[in-house]
Amino acid sequence: MGESKDLQPKVEKSFEIIGKKWTGLIIYVLMSGPKRFSELSESMPSLSRRILTERIKELEEQGIVVRNVIPDRPIRSEYSLTQKGTELGKILGPISQWAKSWVKD
């Protein structure tokens, strides 16, 4: 593909990030705005809460998702995409369009 060898590790790392099961879907769901953990969980019923917690922590570590604590009573948290996450989410739009056309239920 003519890419420099310096870029290959970065591309490989990006595929590691979005290639983990559920990660792309979590980012896709967060593209519509901040969500509480329960909202994320309800929007992906096949995803266990344990795996959702793991993936969110991984995305936080990568700087893709941020946890915002809302100091109301009761205290609650929302998850949203960082600028880095929003930029990544933009490339998932075309993938969802491809899926709509080509992936069978």
Coordinates of all heavy atoms in Angstrom, one line a residue, residues 22-68:
W22 N -17.0 -5.5 20.6 CA -17.8 -4.6 21.3 C -17.3 -3.1 21.3 O -18.0 -2.2 21.5 CB -18.2 -5.0 22.7 CG -18.8 -6.3 22.8 CD1 -18.3 -7.4 23.3 CD2 -20.2 -6.6 22.4 NE1 -19.2 -8.4 23.3 CE2 -20.4 -8.0 22.7 CE3 -21.2 -5.9 21.9 CZ2 -21.6 -8.6 22.4 CZ3 -22.4 -6.5 21.6 CH2 -22.6 -7.9 21.9
T23 N -16.0 -3.0 21.1 CA -15.4 -1.6 21.2 C -16.0 -0.7 20.1 O -16.4 0.4 20.5 CB -13.9 -1.7 21.0 OG1 -13.3 -2.5 22.1 CG2 -13.2 -0.3 21.1
G24 N -16.0 -1.1 18.9 CA -16.6 -0.2 17.9 C -18.1 0.1 18.1 O -18.5 1.2 17.9
L25 N -18.8 -0.9 18.6 CA -20.2 -0.6 18.9 C -20.4 0.4 20.1 O -21.3 1.2 20.0 CB -20.9 -1.9 19.2 CG -22.5 -1.8 19.4 CD1 -23.1 -1.2 18.1 CD2 -23.0 -3.2 19.7
I26 N -19.5 0.3 21.1 CA -19.6 1.2 22.2 C -19.3 2.6 21.7 O -20.1 3.6 22.0 CB -18.6 0.8 23.3 CG1 -19.0 -0.5 24.0 CG2 -18.5 2.0 24.3 CD1 -17.9 -1.1 24.9
I27 N -18.3 2.8 20.9 CA -18.0 4.1 20.3 C -19.2 4.6 19.4 O -19.6 5.7 19.5 CB -16.7 4.0 19.5 CG1 -15.5 3.7 20.4 CG2 -16.5 5.3 18.7 CD1 -14.3 3.3 19.7
Y28 N -19.7 3.7 18.6 CA -20.9 4.0 17.8 C -22.0 4.5 18.6 O -22.7 5.6 18.3 CB -21.2 2.8 16.9 CG -22.4 3.0 16.0 CD1 -22.2 3.7 14.8 CD2 -23.7 2.6 16.3 CE1 -23.2 3.9 13.9 CE2 -24.7 2.8 15.4 CZ -24.5 3.5 14.2 OH -25.6 3.7 13.4
V29 N -22.3 3.9 19.7 CA -23.5 4.3 20.6 C -23.2 5.6 21.2 O -24.1 6.5 21.3 CB -23.8 3.2 21.6 CG1 -24.7 3.7 22.7 CG2 -24.3 1.9 21.0
L30 N -21.9 5.9 21.6 CA -21.6 7.1 22.2 C -21.6 8.3 21.3 O -21.5 9.5 21.7 CB -20.3 7.0 23.0 CG -20.3 6.2 24.3 CD1 -18.9 6.0 24.9 CD2 -21.2 6.9 25.3
M31 N -21.5 8.0 20.0 CA -21.6 9.1 19.0 C -22.8 9.9 19.1 O -22.8 11.1 18.7 CB -21.4 8.6 17.6 CG -20.0 8.1 17.2 SD -18.8 9.4 17.1 CE -19.3 10.4 15.7
S32 N -23.9 9.4 19.6 CA -25.2 10.1 19.8 C -25.2 11.0 21.0 O -26.1 11.7 21.2 CB -26.3 9.2 19.7 OG -26.3 8.3 20.9
G33 N -24.2 10.9 21.8 CA -24.1 11.7 23.0 C -23.7 11.0 24.3 O -23.7 9.7 24.2
P34 N -23.5 11.7 25.4 CA -23.1 11.0 26.6 C -24.2 10.0 27.1 O -25.4 10.2 26.9 CB -23.0 12.2 27.6 CG -22.8 13.4 26.8 CD -23.6 13.1 25.5
K35 N -23.8 8.9 27.7 CA -24.7 7.9 28.2 C -24.2 7.5 29.6 O -23.0 7.4 29.9 CB -24.6 6.7 27.3 CG -25.0 6.9 25.8 CD -26.4 6.9 25.6 CE -26.8 7.1 24.2 NZ -26.6 8.3 23.5
R36 N -25.2 7.2 30.4 CA -24.9 6.5 31.7 C -24.6 5.0 31.4 O -24.9 4.5 30.4 CB -26.1 6.6 32.6 CG -26.3 8.1 33.1 CD -27.4 8.2 34.2 NE -28.5 7.3 34.1 CZ -29.6 7.5 33.4 NH1 -29.8 8.6 32.8 NH2 -30.6 6.6 33.4
F37 N -23.9 4.4 32.4 CA -23.6 3.0 32.2 C -24.8 2.1 31.9 O -24.8 1.3 31.0 CB -22.9 2.5 33.4 CG -22.4 1.1 33.3 CD1 -21.1 0.8 32.8 CD2 -23.2 0.0 33.7 CE1 -20.6 -0.5 32.6 CE2 -22.7 -1.3 33.5 CZ -21.4 -1.6 33.0
S38 N -25.9 2.4 32.6 CA -27.1 1.6 32.4 C -27.7 1.8 31.0 O -28.2 0.9 30.4 CB -28.2 1.9 33.4 OG -28.5 3.3 33.4
E39 N -27.5 3.0 30.4 CA -28.0 3.3 29.1 C -27.2 2.5 28.1 O -27.7 2.0 27.1 CB -28.0 4.8 28.8 CG -29.0 5.6 29.6 CD -28.8 7.1 29.4 OE1 -27.6 7.6 29.5 OE2 -29.8 7.8 29.2
L40 N -25.9 2.5 28.3 CA -25.0 1.8 27.4 C -25.3 0.3 27.4 O -25.5 -0.4 26.4 CB -23.5 1.9 27.8 CG -22.9 3.3 27.4 CD1 -21.5 3.4 28.1 CD2 -22.7 3.4 25.9
S41 N -25.5 -0.2 28.6 CA -25.9 -1.6 28.8 C -27.2 -2.0 28.2 O -27.3 -3.0 27.5 CB -25.9 -1.9 30.3 OG -26.1 -3.3 30.5
E42 N -28.2 -1.1 28.3 CA -29.5 -1.4 27.7 C -29.4 -1.3 26.2 O -30.2 -2.1 25.5 CB -30.5 -0.4 28.2 CG -30.9 -0.6 29.7 CD -31.7 0.6 30.2 OE1 -32.1 1.5 29.5 OE2 -31.9 0.6 31.5
S43 N -28.6 -0.5 25.6 CA -28.5 -0.4 24.2 C -27.8 -1.6 23.5 O -27.8 -1.7 22.3 CB -27.9 0.9 23.8 OG -26.5 1.0 24.2
M44 N -27.1 -2.4 24.4 CA -26.3 -3.5 23.9 C -26.6 -4.7 24.8 O -25.8 -5.2 25.5 CB -24.8 -3.2 23.9 CG -24.5 -2.1 22.9 SD -22.7 -1.6 23.1 CE -22.8 -0.5 24.4
P45 N -27.9 -5.3 24.7 CA -28.3 -6.3 25.6 C -27.4 -7.6 25.6 O -27.4 -8.3 26.6 CB -29.7 -6.5 25.3 CG -29.9 -6.0 23.9 CD -28.9 -4.9 23.8
S46 N -26.8 -7.9 24.5 CA -26.0 -9.1 24.4 C -24.6 -8.9 25.0 O -23.9 -9.9 25.2 CB -25.7 -9.4 22.9 OG -27.0 -9.7 22.3
L47 N -24.3 -7.7 25.4 CA -23.0 -7.4 26.1 C -23.1 -7.5 27.6 O -23.9 -6.8 28.2 CB -22.5 -6.0 25.6 CG -21.3 -5.4 26.3 CD1 -20.1 -6.3 26.1 CD2 -21.0 -4.1 25.7
S48 N -22.3 -8.3 28.2 CA -22.4 -8.5 29.7 C -21.8 -7.2 30.3 O -21.0 -6.5 29.7 CB -21.5 -9.6 30.1 OG -20.1 -9.4 30.1
R49 N -22.3 -6.9 31.5 CA -21.9 -5.7 32.2 C -20.4 -5.8 32.5 O -19.7 -4.8 32.5 CB -22.7 -5.6 33.5 CG -24.2 -5.3 33.2 CD -25.1 -5.3 34.4 NE -24.9 -4.1 35.3 CZ -25.5 -2.9 35.1 NH1 -26.3 -2.7 34.1 NH2 -25.3 -1.9 35.9
R50 N -19.9 -7.0 32.8 CA -18.4 -7.1 33.1 C -17.6 -6.7 31.9 O -16.6 -6.0 32.0 CB -18.1 -8.6 33.5 CG -16.7 -8.8 33.8 CD -16.4 -10.3 34.2 NE -16.6 -11.2 33.1 CZ -15.7 -11.4 32.1 NH1 -14.6 -10.7 32.1 NH2 -15.9 -12.3 31.1
I51 N -18.0 -7.2 30.7 CA -17.2 -6.9 29.5 C -17.4 -5.4 29.1 O -16.4 -4.7 28.7 CB -17.6 -7.8 28.3 CG1 -17.3 -9.2 28.6 CG2 -17.0 -7.3 27.0 CD1 -15.8 -9.6 28.7
L52 N -18.6 -4.9 29.3 CA -18.8 -3.4 29.1 C -17.8 -2.6 30.0 O -17.2 -1.7 29.5 CB -20.2 -3.1 29.3 CG -20.6 -1.6 29.2 CD1 -20.2 -1.0 27.8 CD2 -22.1 -1.4 29.5
T53 N -17.7 -3.0 31.3 CA -16.9 -2.3 32.2 C -15.4 -2.4 31.7 O -14.7 -1.4 31.7 CB -17.0 -2.9 33.6 OG1 -18.3 -2.7 34.1 CG2 -16.0 -2.2 34.6
E54 N -15.0 -3.6 31.3 CA -13.6 -3.7 30.8 C -13.3 -2.9 29.6 O -12.3 -2.2 29.5 CB -13.4 -5.2 30.4 CG -13.2 -6.1 31.6 CD -13.0 -7.6 31.1 OE1 -12.6 -7.8 29.9 OE2 -13.2 -8.5 31.9
R55 N -14.3 -2.9 28.6 CA -14.1 -2.1 27.4 C -14.1 -0.6 27.6 O -13.2 0.1 27.1 CB -15.1 -2.4 26.3 CG -15.1 -3.8 25.8 CD -13.8 -4.1 25.1 NE -13.7 -5.5 24.6 CZ -13.2 -6.5 25.2 NH1 -12.7 -6.3 26.4 NH2 -13.3 -7.7 24.7
I56 N -14.9 -0.2 28.5 CA -15.0 1.3 28.9 C -13.6 1.7 29.5 O -13.1 2.7 29.1 CB -16.1 1.6 29.8 CG1 -17.4 1.6 29.0 CG2 -16.0 3.0 30.4 CD1 -18.7 1.7 29.8
K57 N -13.1 0.9 30.4 CA -11.8 1.2 31.0 C -10.7 1.2 30.0 O -9.8 2.1 30.0 CB -11.5 0.2 32.1 CG -12.3 0.4 33.4 CD -12.0 -0.6 34.5 CE -12.9 -0.3 35.7 NZ -12.6 -1.2 36.8
E58 N -10.7 0.3 29.1 CA -9.7 0.3 28.0 C -9.8 1.5 27.1 O -8.8 2.1 26.8 CB -9.9 -1.0 27.1 CG -9.5 -2.3 27.8 CD -10.0 -3.5 27.1 OE1 -10.7 -3.4 26.0 OE2 -9.7 -4.6 27.6
L59 N -11.0 1.9 26.8 CA -11.2 3.1 26.0 C -10.8 4.4 26.8 O -10.3 5.3 26.2 CB -12.7 3.2 25.5 CG -13.1 2.2 24.5 CD1 -14.6 2.1 24.3 CD2 -12.3 2.4 23.2
E60 N -11.1 4.4 28.1 CA -10.6 5.5 28.9 C -9.1 5.6 28.9 O -8.5 6.7 28.8 CB -11.1 5.4 30.4 CG -12.5 5.7 30.6 CD -13.0 5.6 32.0 OE1 -13.1 4.4 32.5 OE2 -13.1 6.6 32.7
E61 N -8.4 4.4 29.1 CA -7.0 4.4 29.1 C -6.4 4.9 27.7 O -5.3 5.5 27.7 CB -6.5 3.0 29.3 CG -6.7 2.5 30.8 CD -6.5 1.0 31.0 OE1 -6.0 0.3 30.0 OE2 -6.7 0.6 32.1
Q62 N -7.1 4.7 26.6 CA -6.6 5.1 25.3 C -7.0 6.6 25.0 O -6.6 7.1 24.0 CB -7.3 4.2 24.2 CG -6.8 2.8 24.2 CD -5.3 2.7 23.8 OE1 -4.8 3.5 23.1 NE2 -4.7 1.7 24.4
G63 N -7.7 7.2 25.9 CA -8.1 8.6 25.7 C -9.2 8.8 24.7 O -9.4 9.8 24.2
I64 N -10.0 7.7 24.6 CA -11.2 7.7 23.6 C -12.5 8.0 24.3 O -13.3 8.7 23.7 CB -11.2 6.4 22.9 CG1 -10.0 6.2 22.0 CG2 -12.5 6.2 22.0 CD1 -9.7 4.9 21.4
V65 N -12.6 7.6 25.5 CA -13.8 7.8 26.3 C -13.4 8.5 27.6 O -12.3 8.2 28.1 CB -14.5 6.5 26.6 CG1 -15.6 6.6 27.7 CG2 -15.1 5.9 25.3
V66 N -14.3 9.4 28.1 CA -14.1 10.0 29.4 C -15.3 9.8 30.2 O -16.4 9.8 29.8 CB -13.7 11.5 29.2 CG1 -14.9 12.3 28.6 CG2 -13.3 12.2 30.5
R67 N -15.0 9.6 31.5 CA -16.1 9.4 32.5 C -16.3 10.7 33.2 O -15.4 11.3 33.8 CB -15.7 8.3 33.5 CG -16.7 8.1 34.6 CD -16.2 6.9 35.5 NE -17.1 6.7 36.6 CZ -16.8 7.0 37.9 NH1 -15.6 7.4 38.2 NH2 -17.7 6.7 38.8
N68 N -17.5 11.2 33.2 CA -17.9 12.5 33.8 C -18.8 12.2 35.0 O -19.8 11.6 34.9 CB -18.6 13.4 32.8 CG -17.8 13.6 31.6 OD1 -16.7 14.1 31.6 ND2 -18.4 13.3 30.4

